[in-house]
């Protein structure tokens, strides 16, 4: 059994860790039993406040009405920059590694201060005020970090849209949160390929008449379309403003950012995080889980367009005065040793990536890894999806040469920071297990009837009490927040995941139990994919499910019913796959399209996804009860024409 395999903490390492396992248990218990005392102490340690709080926690968890550090005043950019200037103005805050191996930059905390102040003043000059939403659609360049921090400096709420999203997806997100300002670059560069970011923004803005300003970073030499009354070059704008900008005094519960994420129904939701609680927990989890020590180089390979990039490229590390690495490229360009070359080049101590990248690299053999030294590496991390024990072992043996612990961090856009994870040098490890809850996090497993499972068992994963970096609302629709997370099991936050707990209390995340597919660590809603497919004029109906995939973890299998009279063909399959890429983004492309003359439905017309999932996973011997189907014969047709992989 995988759960019997334990990698105990290295004694020598434990001696240098920030805390030990006894501290963990003691502090954990305090964080659950006396959260006010625990969090007040941590807040004083990790965050600088302009004015103190009147109450640590206030509100009602079950209604998603929570406030942490009530009435306290602070500013996130001040915490991430200004606070560090007296001791570390000359220390590197951000190491930027460009797409090409010969391009990199070191940005000190002093540089960062100037750049963020200038960007903040540009936003002000364009009329952006506290509370306004700003859309950021950027490649992985330092200006993305400047833009995010500049928003926090003036109290604007950023909504970062991942650079892989299509114009339609950008438009929807801009409209939903009523952004009137967009920050972008003329082009992005990834793996030697150019990405037409400004062009995508221009297309999106055809249907966003309220956007008055587009600030454009000139990242490549390429020309771009231009709307003189609306567009402004970043390099020109910053030359006209001052490099000092006071940090706005923000309330602990003021909105900090919106980040759209897919759910099981409807359009993506704008998950809203607020100021103090989010910053505290991002910083604190960064420090404890990664056992971050002064002077170390921390590298999280995520994109700033996802929550991992927000919390562990930017806010957590910078709040702790760390040196954080930001990488523009991909793991396989110019070749499959790139990650490991970057680790050597910048003496990275802590490396945090996704299982999908590890599986892809593992399939290319050990040679690219072994061509590097990785002597600086002390610790490894994993995030975004379950890490299978094979990938874990490879990461441990080949990448970490058996000397680096692996922290498998489970969390979500909505949780803001890591919820279940080992702490490096503290927790004994089991390959494939996210192990134990972080401070202040009280998970439970519920059975099919909503009853709490005691001891070892398997069930739906819920969280039972508020934590500081929890989602505050879905932008513009609080009821949706309540309905999505707090309705399935009243009194609990439902994660959408199922998990197993073993006899040692270790958690093993199994995966989503809702209609969300985790493809290469990216969350895709089946409803979103289906809505995209049925927009195609030749498609009558579509049903989408996930199926296990060796590299991506899960991939998208789409069953498509064509309009009467339309002939199916391989070309049409390709066209539909491209259509989804155009509607949402290339990362959402279905792996497989199967044409289906009919879909399995109940007599009331509900599509039986359970059956579609089984067919996609090639588990046709275990289809279960099909007697409630309106037309059982459609299943035979689907099985007969199943697409073999
Ligand atoms: O299913 C879980 C999976 O990713 C989902 C959250 O996705 P997102 O909001 O995009 O955030 C991803 C980065 C935090 C979860 O509901 N997930 C995330 N981390 C893990 C994981 N599944 C297993 N193990 C993990 N370490």
């Amino acid at each position: 059994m995988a759960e019997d395999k334990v990698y105990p903490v290295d004694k020598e390492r434990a001696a240098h860790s920030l805390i030990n396992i006894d501290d963990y248990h003691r502090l954990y218990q305090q964080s659950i039993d006396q959260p006010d005392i625990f969090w007040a102490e941590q807040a004083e340690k990790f965050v600088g406040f302009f004015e103190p709080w009147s109450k640590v926690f206030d509100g009602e968890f079950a209604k998603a009405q929570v406030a942490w550090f009530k009435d306290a005043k602070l500013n996130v950019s001040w915490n991430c920059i200004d606070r560090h200037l007296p001791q570390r103005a000359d220390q590197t805050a951000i190491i930027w590694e460009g797409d090409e191996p010969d391009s990199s930059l070191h940005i000190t905390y002093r540089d960062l201060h100037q750049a963020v102040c200038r960007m903040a003043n540009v936003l002000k000059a364009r009329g952006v005020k506290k509370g306004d939403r700003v859309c950021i659609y950027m490649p992985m360049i330092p200006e993305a970090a400047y833009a995010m921090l500049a928003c926090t400096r003036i109290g604007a709420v950023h909504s970062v849209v991942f650079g892989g999203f299509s114009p339609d997806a950008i438009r929807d997100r801009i409209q939903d949160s009523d952004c009137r300002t967009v920050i972008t670059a003329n082009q992005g560069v990834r793996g030697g390929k150019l990405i037409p970011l400004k062009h995508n923004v221009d297309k999106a803005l055809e249907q966003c008449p309220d956007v008055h300003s587009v600030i454009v970073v000139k990242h490549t030499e390429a020309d771009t379309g231009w709307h003189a009354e609306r567009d402004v070059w970043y390099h020109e704008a910053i030359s006209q403003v001052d490099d000092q900008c006071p940090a706005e005094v923000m309330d602990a519960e003021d909105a900090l950012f919106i980040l759209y994420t897919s759910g099981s129904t409807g359009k993506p939701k704008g998950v809203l995080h607020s100021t103090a609680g989010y910053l505290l927990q991002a910083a604190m989890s960064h420090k404890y889980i990664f056992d971050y020590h002064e002077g170390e180089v921390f590298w999280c390979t995520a994109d700033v367009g996802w929550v991992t990039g927000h919390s562990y490229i930017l806010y957590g590390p910078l709040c702790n005065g760390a040196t954080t690495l930001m990488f523009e490229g991909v793991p396989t360009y110019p070749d499959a040793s790139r990650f490991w070359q970057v680790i050597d080049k910048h003496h990275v101590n802590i490396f945090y990536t996704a299982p999908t990248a590890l599986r892809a690299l593992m399939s290319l053999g050990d040679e690219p890894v072994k061509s590097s030294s990785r002597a600086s590496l002390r610790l490894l991390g994993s995030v975004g999806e379950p890490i299978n024990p094979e990938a874990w072992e490879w990461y441990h043996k080949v990448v970490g040469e058996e000397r680096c612990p692996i922290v498998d961090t489970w969390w979500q856009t909505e949780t803001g920071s890591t919820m279940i994870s080992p702490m490096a040098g503290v927790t004994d490890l089991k390959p494939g297990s996210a192990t134990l809850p972080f401070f202040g996090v009280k998970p439970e497993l519920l059975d099919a009837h909503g009853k709490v499972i005691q001891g070892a068992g398997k069930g739906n994963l819920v969280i039972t009490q508020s934590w500081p970096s929890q989602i505050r609302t879905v932008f513009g629709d609080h009821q949706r927040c309540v309905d999505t997370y707090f309705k399935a099991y009243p009194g609990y936050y439902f994660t959408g995941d199922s998990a197993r707990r073993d006899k040692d209390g270790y958690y093993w995340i199994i995966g989503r139990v809702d209609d969300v597919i985790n493809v290469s660590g990216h969350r895709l809603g089946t409803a979103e994919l289906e809505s995209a497919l049925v927009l195609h004029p030749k498609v009558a109906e579509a049903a989408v499910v996930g199926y296990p995939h060796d590299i991506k973890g899960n991939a998208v299998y789409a069953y498509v019913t064509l309009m009467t009279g339309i002939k199916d063909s391989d070309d049409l399959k390709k066209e539909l796959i491209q259509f989804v890429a155009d509607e949402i983004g290339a990362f959402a492309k279905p792996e497989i399209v199967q044409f289906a003359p009919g879909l399995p439905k109940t007599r009331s017309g509900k599509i039986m996804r359970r059956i579609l999932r089984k067919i996609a996973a090639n588990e046709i011997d275990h289809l279960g009860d099909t007697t409630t189907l309106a037309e059982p014969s459609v299943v035979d047709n689907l099985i007969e024409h199943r697409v073999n992989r």
Side-chain angles (χ1 to χ4, degrees):
M1 273 292 270
E3 68 188 50
D4 296 329
K5 184 149 193 194
V6 179
Y7 286 79
V9 168
D10 181 290
K11 293 265 176 345
E12 205 182 311
R13 166 183 296 278
H16 297 104
S17 297
L18 295 170
I19 59 169
N20 62 35
I21 190 73
D22 295 332
D23 299 329
Y24 164 76
H25 285 301
R26 182 177 48 78
L27 285 168
Y28 178 74
Q29 211 48 52
Q30 188 200 28
S31 73
I32 299 301
D33 298 342
Q34 300 171 300
D36 284 12
I37 296 176
F38 174 84
W39 286 112
E41 274 178 18
Q42 300 302 327
E44 271 162 20
K45 224 190 261 179
F46 283 93
V47 179
F49 290 88
F50 300 147
E51 285 177 38
W53 52 88
S54 59
K55 214 171 170 198
V56 176
F57 175 78
D58 198 23
E60 247 185 283
F61 183 53
K63 292 187 178 158
Q65 273 163 2
V66 300
W68 283 88
F69 308 105
K70 206 161 179 245
D71 301 322
K73 307 284 182 242
L74 72 161
N75 180 282
V76 166
S77 107
W78 184 87
N79 268 279
C80 290
I81 312 171
D82 308 42
R83 189 166 56 120
H84 306 311
L85 291 178
Q87 323 87 37
R88 44 179 112 243
D90 294 319
Q91 182 200 308
T92 301
I94 299 176
I95 300 174
W96 177 73
E97 169 77 9
D99 191 50
E100 293 297 334
D102 61 357
S103 54
S104 53
L105 285 172
H106 279 69
I107 296 141
T108 65
Y109 274 94
R110 182 184 288 111
D111 301 335
L112 186 62
H113 181 257
Q114 280 194 6
V116 169
C117 284
R118 283 192 192 275
M119 180 77 103
N121 282 330
V122 170
L123 289 172
K124 277 186 176 172
R126 301 299 296 195
V128 180
K129 291 187 298 297
K130 182 172 173 172
D132 289 352
R133 274 79 58 205
V134 173
C135 173
I136 298 177
Y137 181 68
M138 285 284 253
M140 287 285 286
I141 56 176
E143 289 81 358
Y146 306 159
M148 291 164 78
L149 287 161
C151 287
T152 71
R153 195 158 191 92
I154 63 168
V157 179
H158 61 67
S159 163
V160 182
V161 175
F162 170 57
F165 275 113
S166 67
D168 285 359
I170 306 168
R171 174 203 61 206
D172 290 350
R173 284 155 179 76
I174 287 177
Q175 288 178 347
D176 186 77
S177 46
D178 190 18
C179 295
R180 312 244 168 135
T181 304
V182 179
I183 306 174
T184 189
N186 59 339
Q187 287 185 318
V189 193
R190 280 187 92 229
K193 295 198 188 89
L194 298 169
I195 301 146
L197 298 174
K198 172 63 162 55
H199 171 79
N200 291 348
V201 168
D202 285 343
K203 272 182 91 176
L205 295 191
E206 284 168 12
Q207 290 169 64
C208 303
D210 292 336
V211 171
H212 54 69
S213 297
V214 179
I215 300 161
V216 188
V217 176
K218 194 168 183 5
H219 183 47
T220 66
E221 291 311 311
D223 280 342
T224 175
W226 205 255
H227 298 252
E229 74 296 347
R230 188 194 71 188
D231 300 348
V232 39
W233 283 112
Y234 165 78
H235 61 273
E236 289 177 3
I238 56 168
S239 70
Q240 289 157 20
V241 294
D242 198 62
D243 66 359
Q244 297 295 318
C245 171
E248 189 77 35
V249 175
M250 303 298 289
D251 189 90
E253 279 302 326
D254 276 339
L256 179 63
F257 67 81
I258 297 167
L259 190 54
Y260 284 86
T261 192
S262 298
S264 41
T265 53
K267 290 199 161 189
K269 297 179 287 281
V271 171
L272 188 127
H273 282 288
S274 64
T275 302
Y278 169 82
L279 184 67
L280 167 60
Q281 218 170 337
M284 188 183 151
S285 56
H286 169 255
K287 182 103 171 167
Y288 284 125
I289 290 174
F290 297 101
D291 187 38
Y292 182 81
H293 282 65
E294 183 77 25
E296 289 189 315
V297 177
F298 181 85
W299 181 15
C300 164
T301 69
D303 192 285
V304 289
W306 307 113
V307 74
T308 311
H310 282 55
S311 302
Y312 298 110
I313 294 178
L314 225 58
Y315 294 121
L318 293 182
C319 187
N320 289 333
T323 298
T324 185
L325 194 147
M326 185 179 198
F327 176 43
E328 184 182 23
V330 299
T332 47
Y333 178 85
D335 62 51
S337 70
R338 186 67 191 275
F339 271 175
W340 327 120
Q341 301 299 340
V342 173
I343 287 172
D344 283 354
K345 178 174 172 187
H346 297 296
H347 311 291
V348 172
N349 305 109
I350 303 170
F351 177 69
Y352 186 34
T353 195
T356 188
L358 295 171
R359 287 191 296 265
L361 293 170
M362 188 168 90
S363 74
L364 301 173
D366 299 354
E367 217 26 63
V369 189
K370 291 191 168 152
S371 68
S372 67
S373 124
R374 285 156 290 113
S376 55
L377 269 187
R378 201 172 67 76
L379 166 62
L380 302 168
S382 171
V383 62
E385 45 175 329
I387 178 162
N388 46 315
E390 302 74 37
W392 195 101
E393 296 280 359
W394 183 80
Y395 201 19
H396 188 250
K397 279 203 181 70
V398 181
V399 176
E401 292 176 334
E402 303 192 22
R403 70 170 190 281
C404 304
I406 298 177
V407 293
D408 173 6
T409 64
W410 174 84
W411 57 297
Q412 309 179 300
T413 304
E414 295 87 340
T415 69
S417 61
T418 299
M419 302 291 276
I420 303 181
S421 169
M423 290 190 198
V426 175
T427 322
D428 291 344
L429 306 173
K430 297 186 190 187
S433 171
T435 77
L436 300 171
F438 187 64
F439 299 129
V441 176
K442 189 155 182 263
E444 291 287 3
L445 299 177
L446 303 185
D447 69 14
H449 309 289
K451 275 190 45 200
V452 173
I453 296 170
Q454 305 292 344
K458 181 181 146 186
N460 285 345
L461 179 64
V462 297
I463 312 292
T464 68
Q465 56 190 52
S466 182
W467 62 98
S469 65
Q470 90 170 63
I471 174 176
R472 292 303 192 267
T473 194
V474 167
F475 186 82
D477 194 351
H478 191 68
Q479 193 55 43
R480 195 164 171 212
C481 178
V482 175
D483 291 349
T484 310
Y485 306 105
F486 292 90
K487 206 163 165 189
Y489 301 110
Y492 298 105
Y493 167 86
F494 178 40
T495 63
D497 281 329
S498 72
R500 200 158 56 76
R501 190 171 46 218
D502 69 18
K503 58 183 186 335
D504 298 323
Y506 275 37
Y507 286 84
W508 301 70
I509 308 299
I510 298 167
R512 304 290 306 194
V513 287
D514 50 7
D515 289 322
V516 170
I517 313 176
N518 192 329
V519 180
S520 301
H522 297 327
R523 253 166 89 165
L524 298 170
T526 51
E528 228 179 307
L529 288 158
E530 288 162 6
S531 318
L533 280 164
V534 297
L535 281 178
H536 191 284
K538 291 181 182 161
V539 173
E541 202 173 16
V544 164
V545 295
Y547 70 94
H549 186 280
D550 283 349
I551 305 283
K552 300 180 174 186
N554 290 285
V556 173
Y557 194 118
Y559 298 86
V560 172
T561 307
L562 295 173
M563 292 286 190
T564 314
I566 302 292
K567 228 182 117 33
D568 63 28
S569 68
D570 282 348
D571 281 348
L572 183 53
K573 273 189 189 173
K574 284 189 198 132
E575 188 179 319
L576 294 179
I577 291 171
Q578 188 52 43
F579 190 75
V580 174
D582 294 343
E583 284 296 316
I584 302 175
F587 63 94
K589 277 182 185 178
E591 191 80 8
I592 292 177
V593 171
Q594 174 175 353
F595 291 117
L599 294 170
K601 291 184 188 167
T602 60
R603 286 183 200 106
S604 59
K606 200 170 167 304
I607 293 175
M608 291 186 77
R609 288 169 189 285
R610 176 176 58 78
I611 293 177
L612 294 176
R613 268 190 223 111
K614 296 266 179 200
I615 296 174
N618 202 9
E619 292 172 8
I620 41 187
D621 297 337
H622 307 91
L623 284 188
D625 184 12
T626 54
T627 53
T628 53
L629 285 175
E631 257 189 280
S633 63
V634 299
V635 174
D636 299 333
N637 179 289
L638 290 178
I639 293 174
E640 192 186 331
H641 294 100
R642 199 184 147 269
V643 178
N644 262 320
R645 308 182 292 276

